[in-house]
Structure formats: structure tokens, C-alpha cells
């Protein structure tokens, strides 16, 4: 431009200040000066911008070259004309459709492409005093298309999302490993995209769309922020139809979706639909079906959509269904775009060729595998869209209540039993609730999390697991936000989550079948009364009961308390871990098949990473509830007991019990186990018995470790050769892999008549903190340092068998 006037100067200032994106700035300049002048003189402006911000200048130069490279081929004739010609006006209207901030096309207006003037008011006219002023044309949703050359245009609402504080502390994530820190340059690099979003004022923009609708299939991604499927659908510049299809028969085998998590899903969908309506004028189309494939095909036929965007899910039965959906739709000429956002690392991206199978099941092994598997950085979270293009007409939908996700039972008199009332009061549903929970933790609890994460009486843990399960917040967002806090332990939880899905992909039967095959013959108690007492929080052990009552009322308990109640069920009541898994799946609002199955398998001794500890139901309180505040909160009947008896009311003198209003056996149950040590010893003996019975096949004779059959075909040919180093591979596709085994199991197996147990795994809490820490440290060093030697011995014995 020969003379850069004040209008361009204002626009350039807004660009450098982050109020305009590069695309918006370029389109505004096009509307002011026209293609001929911009093509000739825009490099001068690029040079001025580069002087202030090199990266912005480079982006402008790229857009400039891309635009005119295409335009010169398709519209070479119009480039020879002046910017006021008829053909230029029509072409320019389409070219700058994404930047129009002026008076809109009215419903029923006829666009005359043979007129001498443009069919819209330009941004330049808006800036000229006395012309059009700042009048606003009312937005009209679902407007019918205009006639003639613009008859195929759909007018859509594009409302700029209100600024939120959620992006204030997000840093660029440039690493691929959960535990790594950002580099200094990445930490200091400004996030221009988020600054632009915060500084941009709300505006209503109507965009012309020429394509058929795009369906966004929501599943476990109930959010607009960092949602790649939603973003990719919007970028196709076509009407977007958000859809949620519920098929209980497909989604909920083996209690994959229980009562509490179904209720959460109902509330989350309600919140998502409301947010789409308020912020974008859009909405969610709900469908209930027995077959997702068939319902999706009907929806495509109804809308004429030719593209479906979705984010992947990874349970084996759902992944198989998604593969069938993709195959069926592609066969019908429908494009299926599947993105990855539910985990940091996709299960099929984990490669063990460089690390081997030694240590499989431990988070350390998994993090090393994920680190070596991909050189692609995780990237940074995506911003929420500024607008969602609307379809000309909406397909039919059922009501959210018709999905029957939040069904409440009724009494004989017809009144409803609102069992979820406390859950509703305890949580704020939706992506805003998830982000607020994360920020509350990062601003307070994270500083005590490293050493005091087990405290049940204090808010030292992050209550984001249900939001993460239903995708109301993404793991990438959590990782990015948490980098400002020095808590590798917290970030490592994301690695545990990824690992559980990786193991589920390798062992699809993990929710119901022991991963150590010989443990399927283990004896378990079938005492239904004990199971019910555990479920309802009536065991007579206050710490266990408080946790189970919190679970029943709120649908949640912290991770330490989950270990306490699981240890009590398995090691003391001697009830099968599957009973605990089923109860958690039904009552947890964050019920997750992969995570729960992995935890209960490990706690039940049959998982790949056996717990090397047992939580004592009384002494563990010294760690998590030393003053008894947690017990008093969830068991009001014991609230008046003194601190020294709050966890052992059976030891309290009768006079003090009367003064506290506690009547054992009436308002609080008596203990269902009178001798804890004898009960655990029986459980220990049953494990030893099954190991002795299967010692020849499933116990390594040299190390005493359990052997687990690993189908090497799931890991690739290179791993097979690496592990066996044998030409007999074709006839031996399974490796009997030695896995870490609790030392007391090995000791008791080798010394079945021994009275003592020098390797007791029971943790006692603060009362013997130093001893517990010493045992934990010794176990850790022993497990990690001796694994290589045990593994090499196991490989040698494996070769001998081959």
C-alpha cells in the first residue's frame, strides 16, 4: 500500500495487541483495499509487522502467498480488473466470509450479482464516519437461504465465547513424557492464541456455508475446550450437528456404566447442551438405540451429512464397534475422522521393543516405553471454538430423560426415591466444574499432595477423576496446567491412567478374569452378610465404614481410602475382588473399567503389579485420619467419642460410650471380624495353597516369582525374537514371564510351616512410620534392583522349557 492510512494502522495495532488473529487481520485488509492493491503492496506491511513480531510476520507472509497462489489460478481475469467491478464484489464476498463484521444478508434478500455495488457493507465503510454508524442487524437463526447466486448460503450464528480464566496459566506442552518439565524457552513463550481469545470482544458473525453438514459424535469428550473432533468439524466450514447416541447394550457390559456414573453422564449432557445453546446457539441431538451403527446411518440419511468426526475410545468392545462404524460408513461414501484426545498416549502407540517386557504392569516400565515409543510431542490444548456453524434445519431428537440415564426408583405410594440427591449437591457438573476443581487443587492441595495425599480429613487430592472419565476436561489440559506446580507425583497419575488402558488393550478380559491364571482357582469367602456390611459401611471398623458411606452418598473417595477398603474386603473378609470391582463400578461417579479392573486385580493378588502392602483397617487411620475428623463427618453417631477411641470404639469404656451416645450393636454395628490377624493369616494361607498347587506350571523354581503367560503376538515379531531368542518361535507364541511377586507369598510358599512372617506387608501408619518407610523403601529397592536378575534367570528357565 502506497500510503498506510489510519485504518490499517488501527488494525495492525489490534493484531500486535492480540485483539485480532492473523486471518482476521488479513481479511479485513482485503475488504478495505481490494485484491489488486493488497497483492502489490502487502509485503510492505509484512515487513513492518516482522520488525515488531517476527513470528506474526511470517504467518502473514504465509497467508499472503497461499491466498494469492490459489487466487491467481482460479480468478486470473478478475485480478486484471479494478476492485469495484461486479465479479470482484461477488468473489470478495466469499473470500472474506469469515471476517464479516458488518450488516448481514436479510432473510429473503435477493443477491444481484449484476449490480454495480457490493451486496454487503464493508469493514472500511463501518470505519467511515456518517455511514451506517454502529447499527446492529438482529441475528436470525436458521435463516432460509437467499436466492440467485447466493441461494446455497446458510446463515449461521458465530458467537465469540466469553473469556474465562482457564487459560491464564496454561503453558505450551512440548514434551511427550508425563514426568518431564518444560524447557525454559517453552515456558517463557507467549501463548498468542489464548491471549487473542481473551481480548476479543463478543460478536455475532454470520458465515456463508456451501458444504453438507458434519456430524460430531460426542462420547467421552463432553467439552468444547481441547476437543479436536469438534474443532476439525468446524474447520470444514460446514454446518455442524452435535450428536450423542446412547446404546446401553453396547456401552455397559460388565457394569462398564453403573448407576452413579450414569447419573453423572445425564448431568454432564444436560450441562453440555445448555452451554452449546447459550454460547453458540447450537444444541445436542440425542438418540437412543440398540445399535449405534444403524442409528448413525439413519441420522446421516436424515441430514445428508457426508462426514462424521469423533474422538476415539479404547475399551476393546467399543474400539471394535468404532472400527465397524468406520468400515460401514466409508463403504457408504461417508468420511469418518477419528481423533485422539482421551489419553495422552494411545494404547496401540506403546512399543516395548526397546525396553522389553521386564517390569510390565509397573508405571515405571510403562513411562519408559511411552517415552521411547514416539518422538511426536503431545502439543498444547486447543482453544474452545469462537463459533459453531448451524444447520439450516435440525434432525429429530429425543429428550435427555428418554435416554434413562438418571432413573430413580419409586415407592409403593408413587413417590420418587432420589438416591442421587447428595451426589447432585456435592459436585458441579460440566467442563467448567472440572476446570474449577483442577484450579482449586493446583492453588491449594497440590502443595501437600506429595507427602500428604493420603489424608482423608483434608482436601489434599484432586477431585477431577469423574470429569476426566467423561471428557469434561482433557488429560492434555491437566498436564499443561500442572506444569506450574512442582508435583511429578500428581502428573504421574496420568501415566497410571494411560497404562490401565494399555493393559486393557493387551488383556481385554482384565475386568473379570485373573491375569495370573492360577489365581482363578483361589478359595474365596461367599459370606453375603459380610459383603453387604462392607457395601453399606456397617463393618464395625470406623475408618472402613466412613469411606464406604462417603462413597454411597457422594460417589467418590480418595485413592488412599480406596486402598483401605479394598484391602479390608480382600485380605480380611477374604471376599473375591470381582465383588469389589462390581460395587465400585456401580457406585463411583468416576467408575472406569480399565482403572478399576487394574486396581482390583493388583489388590486381589492376580494383577501384573501385585500390591506389596496391606492397609490395616485401624492403624491406617494414623496416616489418613489421625484426629478422627473424617470418621466424625461420615459417621455422626461416633462424633462425640474422644480422639483416642474414635477408630476403636470397642475399646472405649462403657461409661464414655454412654456419655457419647454410642450404643454398639444399635446405632453403630459391632465388628464383623474379631481377630484381624487370624483373618489375614487365613487369606495368606489360601494364596500359598494355590501357588503350591500350580507350582510346577506357574511358579518359577529359581526365583519363586509367579509366571504369567504373555501372548507375544500382541507385541510384535521383534519382541518375540528379543524375549525368546529361539528359532522355535512359530511353535511357542506365548512367553511364561516372571512377574513381581509379594515377598511374603514367596516366603510362605517356601516355608509353609513357619510361624512368623518376617516379610509382613501390613502397613501400620504413623504409629510406626519409620518402620513402614523402611519396609517400603527396602521393598522398592528389592523389587526394582532384583528384577533384572530374576528376569534373566526366568528367561534361562524359559529357554530350557522350549
Amino acid at each position: 500500500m502506497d500510503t498506510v492510512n489510519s485504518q490499517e494502522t488501527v488494525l495492525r495495532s489490534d493484531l500486535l495487541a492480540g485483539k485480532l488473529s492473523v486471518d482476521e487481520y488479513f481479511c479485513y485488509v482485503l475488504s478495505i483495499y481490494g485484491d489488486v492493491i493488497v497483492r502489490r503492496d502487502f509485503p510492505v506491511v509484512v515487513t513492518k509487522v516482522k520488525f515488531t513480531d517476527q513470528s506474526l510476520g511470517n504467518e502473514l507472509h504465509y497467508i499472503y502467498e497461499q491466498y494469492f497462489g490459489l487466487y491467481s489460478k482460479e480468478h486470473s481475469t478478475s485480478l486484471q480488473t479494478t476492485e469495484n467491478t461486479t465479479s470482484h464484489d461477488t468473489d470478495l464476498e466469499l473470500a472474506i466470509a469469515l471476517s464479516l463484521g458488518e450488516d448481514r444478508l436479510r432473510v429473503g434478500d435477493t443477491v444481484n450479482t449484476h449490480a454495480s455495488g457490493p451486496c454487503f457493507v464493508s469493514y472500511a465503510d463501518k470505519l467511515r464516519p456518517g455511514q451506517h454508524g454502529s447499527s446492529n442487524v438482529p441475528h436470525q437463526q436458521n435463516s432460509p437461504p437467499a436466492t440467485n447466486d447466493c441461494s446455497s448460503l446458510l446463515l449461521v450464528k458465530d458467537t465469540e465465547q466469553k473469556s474465562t480464566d482457564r487459560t491464564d496459566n496454561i503453558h505450551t506442552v512440548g514434551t511427550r513424557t508425563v514426568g518431564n518439565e518444560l524447557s525454559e524457552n517453552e515456558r517463557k513463550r507467549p501463548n498468542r492464541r489464548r491471549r487473542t481469545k481473551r481480548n476479543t470482544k463478543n460478536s455475532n458473525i454470520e458465515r456463508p456455508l456451501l458444504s453438507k453438514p458434519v456430524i460430531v459424535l460426542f462420547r467421552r469428550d463432553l467439552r468444547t475446550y481441547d476437543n479436536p473432533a469438534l474443532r476439525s468439524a468446524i474447520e470444514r466450514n460446514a454446518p455442524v450437528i452435535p450428536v450423542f447416541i446412547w446404546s446401553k447394550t453396547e456401552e455397559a457390559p460388565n457394569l462398564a456404566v453403573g448407576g452413579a456414573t450414569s447419573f453423572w453422564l445425564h448431568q454432564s449432557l444436560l450441562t453440555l447442551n445448555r452451554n452449546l445453546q447459550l454460547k453458540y446457539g447450537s444444541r445436542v441431538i440425542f438418540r437412543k438405540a440398540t445399535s449405534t451403527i444403524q442409528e448413525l446411518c439413519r441420522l446421516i440419511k436424515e441430514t445428508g451429512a457426508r462426514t462424521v468426526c469423533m474422538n476415539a475410545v479404547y475399551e476393546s468392545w467399543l474400539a471394535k464397534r468404532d472400527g465397524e462404524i468406520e468400515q460401514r460408513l466409508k463403504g457408504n461414501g461417508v468420511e469418518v475422522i477419528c481423533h485422539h484426545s482421551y489419553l495422552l498416549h494411545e494404547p496401540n502407540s506403546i512399543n516395548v521393543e526397546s525396553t522389553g517386557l521386564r517390569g510390565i504392569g509397573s508405571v515405571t516400565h510403562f513411562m519408559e516405553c511411552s517415552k521411547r515409543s514416539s518422538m511426536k510431542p503431545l502439543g498444547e490444548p486447543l482453544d474452545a471454538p469462537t463459533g459453531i456453524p448451524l444447520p439450516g434445519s435440525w434432525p429429530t431428537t429425543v429428550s435427555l430423560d428418554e435416554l434413562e440415564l438418571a432413573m430413580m426408583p419409586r415407592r409403593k405410594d408413587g413417590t420418587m426415591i432420589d438416591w442421587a440427591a447428595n451426589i447432585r449437591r456435592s459436585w458441579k457438573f460440566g467442563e467448567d466444574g472440572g476446570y474449577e476443581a483442577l484450579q482449586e487443587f493446583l492453588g491449594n492441595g497440590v502443595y501437600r499432595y506429595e507427602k500428604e495425599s493420603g489424608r482423608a480429613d483434608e482436601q489434599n487430592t484432586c477431585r477431577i477423576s469423574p470429569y476426566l472419565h467423561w471428557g469434561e476436561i482433557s488429560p492434555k489440559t491437566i498436564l499443561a496446567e500442572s506444569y506450574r506446580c512442582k508435583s511429578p507425583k500428581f502428573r504421574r497419575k496420568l501415566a497410571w491412567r494411560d497404562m490401565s488402558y494399555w493393559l486393557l488393550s493387551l488383556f481385554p478380559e482384565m475386568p473379570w478374569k485373573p491375569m495370573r491364571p492360577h489365581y482363578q482357582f483361589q478359595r474365596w469367602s461367599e459370606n453375603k452378610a459380610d459383603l453387604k456390611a462392607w457395601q453399606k459401611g456397617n463393618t464395625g471398623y470406623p475408618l472402613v465404614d466412613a469411606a464406604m458411606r462417603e462413597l454411597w452418598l457422594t460417589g467418590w473417595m480418595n485413592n488412599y481410602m480406596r486402598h483401605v477398603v479394598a484391602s479390608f474386603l480382600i485380605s480380611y473378609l477374604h471376599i473375591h475382588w470381582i465383588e469389589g470391582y462390581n460395587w465400585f463400578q456401580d457406585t463411583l461417579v468416576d467408575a472406569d473399567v480399565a482403572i478399576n479392573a487394574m486396581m482390583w486385580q493388583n489388590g486381589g493378588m492376580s494383577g501384573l503389579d501385585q500390591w506389596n502392602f496391606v492397609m490395616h483397617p485401624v492403624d491406617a487411620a494414623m496416616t489418613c485420619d489421625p484426629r478422627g475428623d473424617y470418621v466424625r463427618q461420615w459417621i455422626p453417631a461416633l462424633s462425640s467419642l474422644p480422639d483416642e477411641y474414635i477408630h476403636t470404639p470397642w475399646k472405649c469404656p462403657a461409661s464414655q460410650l454412654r456419655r457419647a451416645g454410642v450404643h454398639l450393636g444399635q446405632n453403630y454395628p459391632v465388628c464383623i471380624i474379631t481377630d484381624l490377624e487370624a483373618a489375614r493369616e487365613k487369606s495368606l494361607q489360601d494364596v500359598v495353597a494355590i501357588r503350591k498347587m500350580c507350582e510346577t506350571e506357574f511358579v518359577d523354581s529359581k526365583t519363586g516369582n509367579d509366571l504369567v503367560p504373555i501372548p507375544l503376538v500382541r507385541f510384535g515379531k521383534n519382541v518375540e525374537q528379543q524375549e525368546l531368542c529361539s528359532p522355535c518361535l512359530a511353535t511357542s507364541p506365548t512367553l511364561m514371564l516372571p512377574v513381581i511377586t509379594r515377598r511374603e507369598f514367596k516366603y510362605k510358599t517356601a516355608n509353609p510351616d513357619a510361624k512368623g512372617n518376617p516379610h509382613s506387608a501390613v502397613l501400620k501408619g504413623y504409629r510406626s512410620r519409620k518402620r513402614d518407610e523402611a519396609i517400603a523403601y527396602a521393598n522398592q529397592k528389592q523389587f526394582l534392583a532384583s528384577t533384572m536378575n530374576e528376569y534373566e534367570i526366568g528367561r534361562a528357565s524359559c529357554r530350557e522349557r522350549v
Side-chain angles (χ1 to χ4, degrees):
M1 299 144 204
D2 298 331
T3 303
V4 180
N5 59 25
S6 59
Q7 296 172 2
E8 191 280 326
T9 303
V10 171
L11 290 173
R12 182 151 40 91
S13 298
D14 288 347
L15 171 68
L16 295 173
K19 296 180 180 179
L20 287 178
S21 68
V22 175
D23 292 336
E24 290 171 332
Y25 169 78
F26 183 73
C27 289
Y28 281 142
V29 171
L30 275 176
S31 70
I32 296 173
Y33 295 99
D35 288 9
V36 175
I37 296 177
V38 171
R39 177 166 185 161
R40 186 188 65 201
D41 296 332
F42 194 71
V44 177
V45 177
V46 172
T47 302
K48 292 179 180 292
V49 173
K50 280 186 177 181
F51 183 78
T52 305
D53 191 317
Q54 180 71 29
S55 62
L56 268 183
N58 290 338
E59 289 183 54
L60 275 177
H61 189 262
Y62 174 78
I63 292 176
Y64 165 78
E65 288 187 339
Q66 290 293 313
Y67 176 77
F68 286 107
L70 294 173
Y71 200 87
S72 61
K73 296 176 182 179
E74 299 177 6
H75 306 286
S76 58
T77 304
S78 62
L79 285 176
Q80 306 302 322
T81 65
T82 64
E83 60 178 328
N84 292 323
T85 60
T86 302
S87 61
H88 163 72
D89 292 330
T90 303
D91 291 338
L92 185 59
E93 178 188 4
L94 299 179
I96 66 171
L98 297 180
S99 70
L100 293 181
E102 56 279 346
D103 294 342
R104 314 293 188 241
L105 293 172
R106 304 311 205 269
V107 176
D109 284 351
T110 299
V111 181
N112 186 359
T113 59
H114 301 287
S116 59
C119 61
F120 57 87
V121 180
S122 71
Y123 184 86
D125 292 335
K126 283 276 190 177
L127 296 178
R128 296 191 185 104
Q131 296 191 23
H132 304 281
S134 58
S135 62
N136 294 323
V137 176
H139 171 69
Q140 303 184 30
Q141 296 186 19
N142 301 336
S143 304
T147 58
N148 296 345
D149 288 356
C150 294
S151 61
S152 62
L153 305 184
L154 296 175
L155 301 183
V156 299
K157 178 180 179 181
D158 186 0
T159 305
E160 180 69 34
Q161 182 184 5
K162 292 183 179 180
S163 168
T164 64
D165 293 332
R166 69 167 44 191
T167 57
D168 289 346
N169 298 306
I170 292 181
H171 298 289
T172 302
V173 181
T175 56
R176 64 180 182 276
T177 305
V178 174
N180 290 349
E181 299 293 340
L182 288 176
S183 67
E184 193 66 19
N185 291 335
E186 288 175 316
R187 191 179 294 110
K188 293 180 179 179
R189 188 173 64 199
N191 198 327
R192 182 170 302 279
R193 181 170 59 197
R194 287 179 176 76
R195 185 169 68 247
T196 300
K197 185 183 74 170
R198 291 197 300 269
N199 293 337
T200 304
K201 297 181 179 180
N202 292 346
S203 61
N204 291 335
I205 303 175
E206 294 173 348
R207 297 177 176 175
L209 304 173
L210 300 175
S211 304
K212 292 185 177 181
V214 177
I215 290 176
V216 177
L217 189 59
F218 280 95
R219 286 101 69 83
R220 303 231 191 108
D221 49 359
L222 307 181
R223 64 184 184 273
T224 57
Y225 185 82
D226 194 31
N227 190 326
L230 179 60
R231 171 60 65 89
S232 69
I234 294 173
E235 288 177 348
R236 301 182 76 83
N237 197 30
V240 174
I241 302 177
V243 174
F244 181 85
I245 300 175
W246 178 247
S247 174
K248 187 173 183 179
T249 56
E250 294 177 354
E251 296 281 349
N254 306 298
L255 279 176
V257 182
T261 192
S262 292
F263 177 80
W264 185 286
L265 174 58
H266 177 95
Q267 299 297 325
S268 297
L269 289 170
L270 183 66
T271 305
L272 174 65
N273 192 44
R274 185 189 305 120
N275 289 343
L276 290 179
Q277 289 174 341
L278 293 177
K279 296 180 180 180
Y280 305 105
S282 185
R283 57 176 170 166
V284 180
I285 300 300
F286 297 112
R287 293 291 182 93
K288 186 178 181 181
T290 55
S291 170
T292 301
I293 297 178
Q294 294 178 6
E295 191 62 37
L296 196 54
C297 289
R298 281 193 288 267
L299 190 60
I300 290 172
K301 183 178 180 180
E302 182 179 345
T303 61
R306 308 310 297 167
T307 305
V308 174
C309 298
M310 60 185 180
N311 293 311
V313 291
Y314 300 106
E315 288 87 345
S316 57
W317 57 92
L318 296 180
K320 180 181 178 181
R321 179 200 64 184
D322 286 356
E324 294 172 353
I325 289 176
E326 185 173 359
Q327 183 178 6
R328 173 84 169 271
L329 294 186
K330 285 185 176 180
N332 294 337
V334 177
E335 182 182 11
V336 178
I337 304 174
C338 191
H339 295 271
H340 161 68
S341 71
Y342 192 65
L343 304 171
L344 292 176
H345 301 91
E346 293 182 87
N348 59 12
S349 70
I350 304 302
N351 193 317
V352 300
E353 291 184 8
S354 60
T355 57
L357 294 175
R358 175 178 61 88
I360 186 173
S362 71
V363 71
T364 303
H365 174 268
F366 175 79
M367 291 176 67
E368 188 63 26
C369 290
S370 62
K371 181 180 178 181
R372 299 186 184 187
S373 294
S374 174
M375 298 303 294
K376 183 179 178 181
L378 294 176
E380 60 181 304
L382 301 170
D383 284 329
T386 58
I388 298 178
L390 307 180
S393 61
W394 289 95
T396 57
T397 181
V398 301
S399 68
L400 180 57
D401 290 338
E402 290 181 75
L403 299 185
E404 297 181 331
L405 295 169
M407 295 290 291
M408 299 294 168
R410 293 189 177 274
R411 301 180 180 90
K412 292 182 179 180
D413 60 2
T415 58
M416 184 180 68
I417 302 174
D418 189 3
W419 58 264
N422 283 291
I423 295 178
R424 192 183 298 107
R425 288 192 292 265
S426 301
W427 301 89
K428 179 180 179 180
F429 304 97
E431 61 179 313
D432 288 341
Y435 191 78
E436 289 174 12
L438 176 62
Q439 291 305 315
E440 180 181 354
F441 169 74
L442 295 178
N444 188 14
V446 69
Y447 301 105
R448 299 185 298 274
Y449 183 80
E450 288 292 319
K451 294 183 178 180
E452 300 291 337
S453 63
R455 291 293 289 266
D457 58 339
E458 296 179 358
Q459 193 63 39
N460 295 346
T461 56
C462 190
R463 289 164 57 92
I464 59 170
S465 50
Y467 303 101
L468 190 57
H469 174 69
W470 285 114
E472 292 162 294
I473 190 169
S474 71
K476 194 182 295 184
T477 298
I478 297 172
L479 183 63
E481 291 282 335
S482 65
Y483 268 116
R484 62 186 172 92
C485 302
K486 304 296 182 182
S487 181
K489 179 180 178 180
F490 172 65
R491 293 196 295 273
R492 194 157 52 243
K493 294 298 182 182
L494 295 174
W496 278 101
R497 180 172 180 265
D498 281 12
M499 182 180 71
S500 70
Y501 276 90
W502 179 56
L503 292 178
L504 184 63
S505 70
L506 298 174
F507 302 93
E509 66 281 359
M510 189 168 67
W512 60 85
K513 182 179 179 181
M515 301 170 75
R516 305 189 188 208
H518 48 303
Y519 282 76
Q520 63 184 309
F521 304 110
Q522 183 180 348
R523 292 190 299 268
W524 295 100
S525 170
E526 296 183 0
N527 191 321
K528 298 300 182 182
D530 285 354
L531 174 61
K532 186 175 181 179
W534 176 82
Q535 291 172 338
K536 300 300 182 182
N538 291 321
T539 66
Y541 289 90
L543 185 64
V544 175
D545 292 344
M548 295 306 292
R549 294 184 187 191
E550 180 190 17
L551 171 63
W552 179 254
L553 291 173
T554 70
W556 192 84
M557 68 174 79
N558 74 25
N559 192 53
Y560 189 91
M561 298 311 302
R562 298 185 193 201
H563 285 77
V564 169
V565 300
S567 290
F568 188 79
L569 181 73
I570 294 167
S571 297
Y572 292 98
L573 292 180
H574 197 40
I575 293 176
H576 202 299
W577 61 266
I578 287 182
E579 298 289 354
Y581 166 81
N582 289 339
W583 187 251
F584 268 31
Q585 283 298 117
D586 192 42
T587 55
L588 280 171
V589 291
D590 62 3
D592 190 292
V593 170
I595 296 173
N596 271 342
M598 182 182 72
M599 187 202 86
W600 281 101
Q601 283 258 20
N602 290 337
M605 288 83 77
S606 58
L608 293 180
D609 190 24
Q610 262 180 1
W611 287 356
N612 62 333
F613 57 84
V614 174
M615 298 292 192
H616 194 278
V618 176
D619 294 338
M622 298 301 102
T623 295
C624 61
D625 189 29
R627 298 183 299 272
D629 294 340
Y630 178 71
V631 168
R632 291 187 178 93
Q633 178 183 357
W634 297 107
I635 310 179
L638 304 181
S639 60
S640 297
L641 284 178
D643 291 357
E644 59 266 32
Y645 297 117
I646 189 67
H647 293 292
T648 55
W650 57 88
K651 293 182 179 181
C652 184
S655 59
Q656 285 188 298
L657 285 176
R658 286 194 299 271
R659 285 196 297 270
V662 177
H663 304 282
L664 295 181
Q666 297 180 24
N667 62 350
Y668 186 71
V670 296
C671 297
I672 61 176
I673 299 177
T674 56
D675 190 339
L676 290 172
E677 294 305 319
R680 202 186 85 81
E681 182 64 25
K682 182 178 184 303
S683 175
L684 185 59
Q685 290 300 329
D686 285 342
V687 173
V688 172
I690 198 62
R691 297 186 81 243
K692 293 290 289 183
M693 184 179 75
C694 303
E695 189 171 16
T696 304
E697 185 177 2
F698 291 108
V699 177
D700 187 78
S701 59
K702 297 183 179 180
T703 65
N705 285 352
D706 287 334
L707 295 173
V708 173
I710 303 293
L712 294 179
V713 67
R714 301 177 183 177
F715 298 93
K717 194 73 174 180
N718 292 337
V719 175
E720 294 175 348
Q721 295 175 350
Q722 173 185 337
E723 298 298 337
L724 287 179
C725 300
S726 169
C728 310
L729 191 58
T731 59
S732 301
T734 300
L735 169 68
M736 298 300 292
L737 181 71
V739 292
I740 295 172
T741 305
R742 192 187 293 177
R743 285 182 61 81
E744 67 175 351
F745 292 164
K746 295 193 286 186
Y747 175 80
K748 285 288 187 178
T749 303
N751 306 278
D753 298 327
K755 299 298 182 182
N757 182 6
H759 305 291
S760 175
V762 178
L763 297 180
K764 298 289 185 178
Y766 284 157
R767 199 172 289 174
S768 56
R769 177 86 180 232
K770 291 184 178 180
R771 175 180 176 275
D772 290 343
E773 290 181 344
I775 291 176
Y777 178 77
N779 284 340
Q780 180 186 31
K781 299 299 288 185
Q782 204 293 301
F783 285 145
L784 297 180
S786 65
T787 301
M788 175 66 80
N789 181 52
E790 293 175 347
Y791 179 71
E792 292 299 331
I793 295 175
R795 285 181 63 183
S797 62
C798 181
R799 293 193 190 98
E800 291 175 4
R801 285 192 292 271
V802 173

